[in-house]
Amino acid sequence: MYTTQSQRPVTVPDLQRMKKAGTPIVVLTAYDASCGALLDAAGIDVALVGDSLGMVIQGARSTLSVTVDDIAYHTRAVRAGIKHALLMADLPFLSYATRNQALRSAETLIGAAGADMLKLEGGDPPVLDIIEFLTQRDVPVCAHLGLTPQSVLRLGGYKVQGREDAAHAAIVAQAHAVAAAGAAALVLECVPSELAREITAAIDIPTIGIGAGVHCDGQVLVMHDMLGMASGRRPRFVKDFLAGAGSVQAAFEAYARAVRERSFPGEEHSYAG
Ligand code: KIV
């Protein structure tokens, strides 16, 4: 079976190969070199410098205040800690509203800070244009659909998406569209597991779920959530892997094992339609 458990760094084409081989892709957020090194040692495939850092590092109420410079600072730090994992960085709110902004942001995050791939949210025509524009310039892009936290003001809160027939059909159409525009991977956040299963079977690029059930090609969690550090109500899709693990390193290893065995997420971490 194809595996990335070698010394060689994980590449963007590896994600595609893992989908084809049925090898689950393990993704975890990271914001500093120390946690990056632990994540790497645990054999996690992708480190994501998410704009969730606005909430878990900076204490903001949403991700909307995060800047490209914030993401660049943390991307440089994680880059210094990892040798094996692929390094994905978020394009923050309004940093890809125009082609020019997207290009400047990509220069900063890939050219200066060392990211291997950028993630952006949405699947409607203005974002599709940006995905196409960036991928045609050799910037690997991961799309993000379902609950897109940068749309929190329009959505009115952090809610499961795609439950009604029209919303379900819209997310399926967006998934096809981001793949056609050139995205190399797709994060699906807080959608019913049957919707994620349908999309995962229908498109050629790997799907990475968070609150999207077990049928995705990979899983991602926010590090602070899976270490039981986040304040407030714990979302249904979160499991505390530190409880009983004994160390942060062991928690990361337990998470990677559970994703690879497909024992996480379970039904209790998933949403029904
Ligand atoms: O910002 C982030 O950490 C993310 C993950 C929740 C997928 O986008």
Side-chain angles (χ1 to χ4, degrees), residues 17 21 52 62 187 198 201 203 208 211 232 258 270:
R17 284 193 274 271
S52 51
S62 75
V187 166
E198 181 183 334
I203 63 175
I208 313 290
S270 306

Side-chain angles (χ1 to χ4, degrees), residues 162-178:
R163 280 193 156 138
E164 309 74 25
D165 289 349
H168 177 118
I171 296 173
V172 172
Q174 288 176 334
H176 282 285
V178 297

Side-chain angles (χ1 to χ4, degrees), residues 29 48 50-52 90 119 144 210 220 222:
T29 68
L48 167 64
D51 60 2
S52 51
D90 260 348
K119 179 166 77 60
H144 183 155
I210 174 164
V220 56
V222 170

Side-chain angles (χ1 to χ4, degrees), residues 24-160:
I25 300 165
V26 188
V27 185
L28 185 62
T29 68
Y31 314 99
D32 63 49
S34 306
C35 289
L38 290 180
L39 166 163
D40 220 38
I44 286 168
D45 301 305
V46 180
L48 167 64
V49 181
D51 60 2
S52 51
L53 70 84
M55 298 168 88
V56 299
I57 302 288
Q58 298 172 336
R61 285 178 346 145
S62 75
T63 61
L64 302 182
S65 54
V66 175
T67 65
V68 173
D69 286 345
D70 292 335
I71 299 282
Y73 174 88
H74 291 278
T75 299
R76 267 194 299 274
V78 176
R79 174 87 280 163
I82 61 173
K83 292 190 178 69
H84 167 79
L86 183 138
L87 181 53
M88 188 189 296
D90 260 348
L91 284 170
F93 184 55
L94 293 183
S95 70
Y96 51 101
T98 67
R99 288 178 169 196
N100 244 341
Q101 281 176 311
L103 206 56
R104 296 288 90 78
S105 304
E107 277 172 1
T108 304
L109 297 180
I110 292 185
D116 299 313
M117 186 176 203
L118 302 181
K119 179 166 77 60
L120 50 71
E121 298 183 8
D124 289 331
V127 177
L128 296 174
D129 176 68
I130 299 296
I131 294 174
E132 202 168 286
F133 179 77
L134 288 176
T135 55
Q136 284 175 354
R137 282 151 188 82
D138 286 337
V139 175
V141 171
C142 176
H144 183 155
L145 297 174
L147 172 55
T148 47
Q150 291 174 18
S151 314
V152 64
L153 299 179
R154 176 174 56 79
L155 296 174
Y158 300 101
K159 303 169 189 164
V160 179

Side-chain angles (χ1 to χ4, degrees), residues 26 28-30 32 34-44 221-224 226-227 229 241-242 245 247-260:
V26 188
L28 185 62
T29 68
D32 63 49
S34 306
C35 289
L38 290 180
L39 166 163
D40 220 38
I44 286 168
L221 282 179
V222 170
M223 179 184 295
H224 291 60
M226 58 84 79
L227 293 177
M229 289 167 68
F241 283 91
L242 184 59
S247 70
V248 171
Q249 170 89 43
F252 291 175
E253 285 168 3
Y255 167 61
R257 203 164 41 244
V259 171
R260 291 194 174 112

